[in-house]
Amino acid sequence: MPTDSQLQSALQQVIEPNLGRSLGELKMLAGVRQDGGIAHVTIDLPTPAFPGRDRIAAAVEQAIRGQFPDVSGVDVQFTASVRGKNTGGSIGLRCKNVVAVGSGKGGVGKSTVAASLAFGLKELGCKVGLMDADVYGPSIPHMTGVDREQPMATKIQKPDGSTADRIIPIEVDGLKVMSMGFFLKPDQAVIWRGPLLHRAITQFLADTEWGELDYLIIDLPPGTGDVSLTLSQLLGLAGAIVVCTPQKVALLDAVKAVSMYNQVKIPLLGIVENMTGEIFGRGGAKAKAEELGIPFLGEIPIDASVRIQADAGQIGSLFAADSPVRPQLLHICEQAALEIARQFVEAPALPSLEIL
């Protein structure tokens, strides 16, 4: 029978299928031990939303059985330790990854994708917040069914003994939500210049009691305006996702959004194609992503259930077992989390190998 050290050495060289790096390089081996002829292996993933666990387990088992035929069984278990930039500490934000969701133009379903990404990552086991930064047209409160709610205020004690005011976000099935829509009347318009907009975004980030989050999803206003610049100045984002529909007219504006993120040094996590189907066509966003050399995260079909559930304030139900779009939405969430994790494959945040 192999020793624990021999198993360790063999598994360090196994290539993780998604990132194309060895488990040793990725620091994903959390524990290895042999007991009664059975090899017990613990893999620590960089996010609960990491895809392809079956493929990782198969690669581990193949490596062990190929080198140690005397092993009678292989037991692979998974844990997850989310890693991220953690750049919000200077403004009191305890979030490992802040993700902006934007578009080059309105009407492409950007808010739908942002809300779906937040609910999907929560479904996959992550701690998630959803911030509606589209102050001119906040739709997140309605989509999540809490448009009649109003956040409460509280005071917290700071380490130096002083107190600070905090806003308590609205919770929807464990998802923390903040939006300008909570502070507006239904027919009230927001008419602000840049400085007021900057102040509101800063307050939503710094003065909201988000708690500890793995991901904070920010729904941006459409186009290339002040909010993205404000975010880039306040904290280092894990990245941005661009939403567009398949037709060329929408793709023209999506390219401008990509250019904006490049200029303000926000990493591009990828493009999502929304409303894929007979009406708008299919594949335009994927082709444009390949042309620009950025990831294509997936497509959402133009299915009536998406519109119906968003209008009813039940967008989280798109992840119900019988939802026709659940597989596509979960795929997008996994691919987005994978792209974030890809940025940190050499970071030392994950635990080192321990021989149990």
Side-chain angles (χ1 to χ4, degrees):
M1 287 295 168
T3 65
D4 293 349
S5 295
Q6 288 174 325
L7 286 171
Q8 170 191 344
S9 297
L11 294 179
Q12 291 275 11
Q13 309 305 316
V14 172
I15 300 299
E16 195 286 313
N18 292 291
L19 299 173
R21 305 282 291 276
S22 71
L23 295 178
E25 289 179 290
L26 297 173
K27 300 179 175 64
M28 286 172 60
L29 278 173
V32 177
R33 65 184 174 88
Q34 186 271 131
D35 182 18
I38 298 178
H40 299 273
V41 181
T42 301
I43 303 294
D44 194 63
L45 302 172
T47 171
F50 202 79
R53 298 187 184 200
D54 289 345
R55 291 193 298 160
I56 299 173
V60 167
E61 183 170 0
Q62 182 179 8
I64 292 176
R65 293 191 181 279
Q67 297 187 46
F68 310 106
D70 292 339
V71 170
S72 59
V74 179
D75 172 47
V76 181
Q77 299 293 324
F78 292 93
T79 59
S81 303
V82 178
R83 60 173 73 183
K85 292 184 176 179
N86 298 303
T87 56
S90 61
I91 58 172
L93 181 65
R94 293 174 293 161
C95 179
K96 294 179 180 176
N97 298 287
V98 182
V99 179
V101 179
S103 63
K105 62 183 296 181
V108 298
K110 166 188 55 62
S111 296
T112 299
V113 173
S116 298
L117 183 64
F119 275 104
L121 288 171
K122 181 184 72 69
E123 175 83 3
L124 291 167
C126 306
K127 294 179 290 185
V128 188
L130 174 60
M131 177 178 145
D132 188 355
D134 190 353
V135 296
Y136 299 117
S139 55
I140 293 298
H142 180 84
M143 287 183 174
T144 55
V146 290
D147 48 323
R148 297 185 181 181
E149 302 286 340
Q150 189 166 12
M152 303 293 290
T154 189
K155 288 184 179 294
I156 65 167
Q157 188 168 14
K158 299 168 69 174
D160 61 3
S162 62
T163 60
D165 294 324
R166 287 288 188 270
I167 305 169
I168 304 299
I170 302 298
E171 270 201 39
V172 185
D173 297 329
L175 177 71
K176 296 180 179 180
V177 181
M178 178 55 65
S179 170
M180 178 59 68
F182 294 138
F183 305 98
L184 300 174
K185 297 178 181 179
D187 59 349
Q188 183 178 353
V190 175
I191 307 173
W192 284 354
R193 294 186 184 274
L196 287 176
L197 186 64
H198 176 89
R199 188 182 306 169
I201 298 303
T202 302
Q203 187 173 21
F204 280 180
L205 288 170
D207 296 340
T208 299
E209 191 62 20
W210 292 106
E212 293 188 4
L213 298 175
D214 295 324
Y215 302 96
L216 176 62
I217 309 302
I218 301 182
D219 179 25
L220 299 180
T224 55
D226 291 340
V227 175
S228 296
L229 182 59
T230 293
L231 291 175
S232 68
Q233 293 171 340
L234 284 175
L235 69 173
L237 275 72
I241 293 172
V242 175
V243 180
C244 65
T245 47
Q247 72 272 37
K248 290 183 179 179
V249 172
L251 290 169
L252 291 172
D253 292 312
V255 171
K256 296 176 183 176
V258 170
S259 176
M260 175 195 66
Y261 292 128
N262 286 331
Q263 289 183 53
V264 297
K265 309 301 181 184
I266 296 176
L268 261 297
L269 298 176
I271 291 179
V272 172
E273 180 173 288
N274 193 26
M275 305 183 198
T276 298
E278 295 181 3
I279 296 177
F280 296 119
R282 183 175 191 173
K286 183 177 182 180
K288 183 59 66 176
E290 292 175 351
E291 177 185 327
L292 297 173
I294 58 179
F296 178 67
L297 302 179
E299 59 186 30
I300 304 172
I302 187 165
D303 190 285
S305 64
V306 178
R307 189 267 305 167
I308 292 170
Q309 300 303 337
D311 283 350
Q314 298 291 329
I315 197 164
S317 66
L318 294 176
F319 292 92
D322 60 349
S323 169
V325 295
R326 172 185 166 91
Q328 293 92 334
L329 292 178
L330 284 179
H331 173 77
I332 290 170
C333 295
E334 290 175 341
Q335 292 304 305
L338 177 62
E339 291 304 320
I340 295 170
R342 196 183 300 278
Q343 301 180 52
F344 304 101
V345 294
E346 295 181 351
L350 291 181
S352 58
L353 178 68
E354 176 185 358
I355 303 299
L356 302 179

